[in-house]
Amino acid sequence: MIGYRCSGKTSIGKGLAGRLGLPFVDTDELVEKRAGKTIREMVGAGGWAFFRRQEREAIKSLAALDQSIIATGGGAVMAEDNAADLKQEGVLIWLVADEETVLKRMLADAATAEQRPSLSGADLKKEISETLALRTPVYRRLADYAVYTGRAGIEESVERIVEFLLSRTGGLPVPPAGCAPERRK
């Protein structure tokens, strides 16, 4: 899963992993767990460059995973080595949300403010606009498939991704031993 903050990568990624019976990894959570600090604390102590180095190590470690759903940090694919590793090893699903949706979700999510520092120090609305303008062409270039999450719910987004995977491969991935797919209701 690639896309900007609050586009639904974690929520939809968890839903997709449950539906397919595959492991789920959120790179931001992995970086925080390994460092024992929040992203805000890492950026405060060592700047964005420090965090991006930690993120790079996490993505390198995940490249060897087979059959898993990975939600990347919003800026992870801006580093060419991350993008290359992810593209080579998997199918990249771009979760797209417009500026208004992103802003609304960010303001509604206390964890975003607590754990995610500003990328630029600019007004939040301006930062979203400028960062999306910079990242959108990269997301578009890398994506194998895109889902607009502005109005679609988690289940609808998961269903669209499953349909894409079926059309692409003719079948869904076989879950690894010990992982059972979620039963459909």
Side-chain angles (χ1 to χ4, degrees), residues 30 54 90 111 116 121 143 153:
L30 180 59
Q54 305 309 306
R116 305 289 194 279

Side-chain angles (χ1 to χ4, degrees), residues 99-113:
E99 293 176 30
E100 279 185 41
T101 300
V102 169
L103 179 61
K104 183 177 168 183
R105 289 176 181 171
M106 286 177 93
L107 293 174
D109 183 11
T112 295

Side-chain angles (χ1 to χ4, degrees), residues 4-5 39-40 43 47-48 51-52 55 73-76 78 102 106 116-124 126-132 134-135 139:
Y4 194 64
R5 292 176 174 185
I39 294 171
R40 177 176 293 284
V43 171
W48 277 105
F51 169 74
R52 294 296 179 203
E55 181 178 60
M78 299 305 288
V102 169
M106 286 177 93
R116 305 289 194 279
S118 172
L119 296 168
S120 66
D123 165 75
L124 187 56
K126 182 179 178 182
E127 178 178 283
I128 293 168
S129 178
E130 290 173 352
T131 307
L132 277 173
L134 178 69
R135 292 181 181 176
Y139 295 147

Side-chain angles (χ1 to χ4, degrees), residues 16 19-22 66-69 161-162 165-166 169-176 181:
L16 183 62
R19 171 78 191 287
L20 299 178
L22 297 174
D66 188 34
Q67 304 266 338
S68 57
I69 306 299
I161 295 166
V162 168
L165 293 173
L166 283 169
T169 64
L172 293 174
V174 177

Side-chain angles (χ1 to χ4, degrees), residues 12-73:
I12 294 167
K14 286 179 179 177
L16 183 62
R19 171 78 191 287
L20 299 178
L22 297 174
F24 173 78
V25 179
D26 182 303
T27 61
D28 283 348
E29 290 176 7
L30 180 59
V31 169
E32 288 179 333
K33 183 178 178 182
R34 286 179 169 187
K37 298 177 182 179
T38 66
I39 294 171
R40 177 176 293 284
E41 290 168 337
M42 283 182 265
V43 171
W48 277 105
F50 173 76
F51 169 74
R52 294 296 179 203
R53 285 191 302 274
Q54 305 309 306
E55 181 178 60
R56 174 67 191 134
E57 291 304 312
I59 289 174
K60 280 193 325 190
S61 75
L62 296 173
L65 287 181
D66 188 34
Q67 304 266 338
S68 57
I69 306 299
I70 299 170
T72 63

Side-chain angles (χ1 to χ4, degrees), residues 1 22 28 32 74 76 83 85 87-88 112 115 125 130 136 139 163 166 179:
M1 303 281 140
L22 297 174
D28 283 348
E32 288 179 333
D85 284 351
K87 188 76 174 167
Q88 179 179 340
T112 295
Q115 297 175 0
K125 189 171 184 170
E130 290 173 352
T136 294
Y139 295 147
E163 288 172 14
L166 283 169
C179 290

